[in-house]
Amino acid sequence: MHGPPLIGWLLVALCAATGGYCLSQMRGEPPGPGRRIAGAEALMGWGMAVMAVPSTVLDPRPWGPPAFVAVFAVAAVRALLPVPHGAGLPGHRLHHTVGALAMVYMALAMMVGTTGGHHHTGETVPGRMAGGVPLLTGVLLVYFAVYVVRSGLRLVPMTDGPVDAAGAGPPGAGWSRRPELRHACRLSMGIGMFAMLLTL
């Protein structure tokens, strides 16, 4: 990832923590759409964490970008498939598809960089795509900016004042089932995706 190493490490910490929480949530969910969504979010969080590692520490070339493209292309297709245990949550499926395709896009930009688009010195070779397609990057930035704002607004009522029984999840639910933490994780991943797109 391009950009200051400190920003990269902050993104690694944020995305790894989010992926870890989503993984614990997936393990606590019964089979069904909830577990599938948590698994997709865990994959996204860990994938973003690996992609955000500064290239001075972990150079993903040449295997990294093609692996990201393959994994997240499959994730994008899988997100669009009907949920076996019910049709619900189409909005989540669409968002996961956009997120997975954004990861594919960033991995493709990394692949261009490995063929000469960017060097570690920051030089750009004429005739090569540098940092992706500006219009597409802009569209994705707008999408994730709107998503972050909406997620933040959705989280505010859950944290405004004491949490009652309606906002605390099912009876006996642990911290991995709390709805406000789920929204906070989605907000964190949206922020992380926005920041990573800015570094293209």
Side-chain angles (χ1 to χ4, degrees), residues 135-173:
L135 178 60
L136 182 53
T137 302
V139 169
L140 289 171
L141 283 170
V142 170
Y143 173 83
F144 283 104
V146 172
Y147 180 80
V148 166
V149 172
R150 289 187 61 190
S151 297
L153 292 175
R154 192 173 298 172
L155 184 62
V156 169
M158 294 185 175
T159 57
D160 187 13
V163 177
D164 57 15

Side-chain angles (χ1 to χ4, degrees), residues 36-132:
R36 182 171 176 173
I37 289 171
E41 290 172 346
L43 175 65
M44 184 68 67
W46 283 106
M48 290 169 62
V50 173
M51 188 177 281
V53 175
S55 58
T56 54
V57 175
L58 177 64
D59 189 348
R61 300 175 298 178
W63 53 267
F68 277 118
V69 169
V71 169
F72 285 99
V74 171
V77 173
R78 189 171 184 270
L80 289 175
L81 296 177
V83 180
H85 298 279
L89 305 174
H92 285 298
R93 295 206 307 270
L94 179 60
H95 174 68
H96 291 157
T97 302
V98 173
L101 291 176
M103 293 290 284
V104 170
Y105 170 64
M106 289 190 288
L108 289 173
M110 290 168 60
M111 289 176 67
V112 171
T114 63
T115 59
H118 275 294
H119 295 284
H120 287 290
T121 60
E123 288 182 56
T124 303
V125 176
R128 293 286 188 179
M129 180 178 71

